[in-house]
Amino acid sequence: MKIVNQLTLGVGLKDEATFANFFPGKNTQLVTALKNTVQSDGEHVIYFYGTGGQGCTHLLQACCHAAQQAQHSAVYVPLNHHTEFSPEIFEGLESLNLVCIDDVHRIAGKPVWEEALFHAYNRIHDAGGRLIVTANVAPKALGVMLPDMVSRLAWGVVFQLQPLSDAEKLETFIMRAERRGMMLNEEVGKFILTHCPRHMSTLFAALNALDKMSLAAQRKLTIPFVKEILQI
């Protein structure tokens, strides 16, 4: 339980990573399934995948925030940092209501890690817990060495996270700015989307920078100001 305590809910979660801050687009069915599972009223296992910057990590952390609000025990395990800890990270997770494992593809092809996750999966399943897993590809494309691991991950429901259209990205960008109390008009928003990489994580990082600098300089978000701050 020591390891679980080190990764208890709240550690490594971004405050803004909530369902309210996620624009679902074509992912309404996925978001609904996640919310139901968090409330212990849905699928016991959900696996969803998407390329970097599409929102997998955001949604997984949103599940943990929602679990906290519902007074459920939960943990967020970021496997993109798996080199910083050992496979023992999976021990004791079956005692929690919800286990969220991010970037499972990071341990594909690593036998010790695969076996540890396999046994953790079985313990969580036997204990009646909920497991939500993300990756960058579908289960069959993970390249895992343990054959039964693929079938376990696909036991529940599998979703592919659908990317947002440019119009939806703009709507999301403006929505996130408004939640920060920033006045971002459509013209400026389109300018940023045109001149910045269109991964949402990159766009939100740009928004963070603009928020800080506009407050410090007491300036509105205009195209000349955006050019100056983002150097575009």
Side-chain angles (χ1 to χ4, degrees):
M1 292 302 296
K2 179 181 179 182
I3 294 176
V4 172
N5 289 335
Q6 290 175 346
L7 285 173
T8 49
L9 188 63
V11 177
L13 300 181
K14 294 182 179 180
D15 291 339
E16 66 272 18
T18 64
F19 285 122
N21 272 338
F22 184 80
F23 187 87
K26 300 179 181 67
N27 299 295
T28 301
Q29 187 178 359
L30 166 60
V31 173
T32 298
L34 293 174
K35 289 179 177 179
N36 288 339
T37 292
V38 168
Q39 298 298 328
S40 299
D41 190 31
E43 299 287 340
H44 280 261
V45 179
I46 295 179
Y47 179 109
F48 66 100
Y49 63 99
T51 57
Q54 286 188 342
C56 286
T57 295
H58 181 112
L59 281 175
L60 206 61
Q61 293 195 11
C63 289
C64 288
H65 281 301
Q68 181 183 40
Q69 293 172 357
Q71 302 299 310
H72 294 317
S73 57
V75 66
Y76 170 71
V77 184
L79 290 182
N80 60 326
H81 296 300
H82 75 279
T83 55
E84 299 174 15
F85 37 79
S86 75
E88 292 178 351
I89 199 73
F90 297 127
E91 293 183 3
L93 299 186
E94 66 275 7
S95 65
L96 304 175
N97 299 122
L98 177 68
V99 178
C100 295
I101 301 178
D102 203 4
D103 291 332
V104 73
H105 57 278
R106 299 284 187 175
I107 62 169
K110 297 177 170 57
V112 175
W113 277 94
E114 288 184 15
E115 186 174 354
L117 177 57
F118 176 78
H119 291 306
Y121 179 103
N122 290 334
R123 293 194 303 270
I124 293 167
H125 180 269
D126 292 344
R130 260 65 176 181
L131 176 66
I132 304 176
V133 178
T134 72
N136 64 352
V137 291
K140 290 183 179 180
L142 274 174
V144 297
M145 301 177 67
L146 193 62
D148 288 343
M149 190 71 255
V150 175
S151 62
R152 290 294 191 278
L153 292 173
W155 260 1
V157 292
V158 177
F159 292 94
Q160 181 176 5
L161 191 64
Q162 300 299 317
L164 297 177
S165 66
D166 286 348
E168 290 170 334
K169 287 181 180 180
L170 178 60
E171 189 172 347
T172 302
F173 199 53
I174 292 175
M175 177 194 74
R176 185 68 69 88
E178 289 177 347
R179 289 184 180 277
R180 286 173 165 269
M182 302 169 65
M183 295 298 295
L184 177 67
N185 63 41
E186 187 172 325
E187 181 186 11
V188 176
K190 285 182 177 179
F191 178 83
I192 295 171
L193 259 66
T194 300
H195 293 84
C196 289
R198 297 192 180 188
H199 290 302
M200 294 310 297
S201 56
T202 303
L203 292 172
F204 291 147
L207 192 63
N208 289 338
L210 290 170
D211 190 15
K212 292 178 182 178
M213 295 306 296
S214 64
L215 285 173
Q218 293 294 301
R219 291 177 60 181
K220 294 180 180 180
L221 292 182
T222 61
I223 290 178
F225 181 69
V226 168
K227 284 183 176 180
E228 176 186 342
I229 300 303
L230 300 183
Q231 299 181 350
I232 54 179

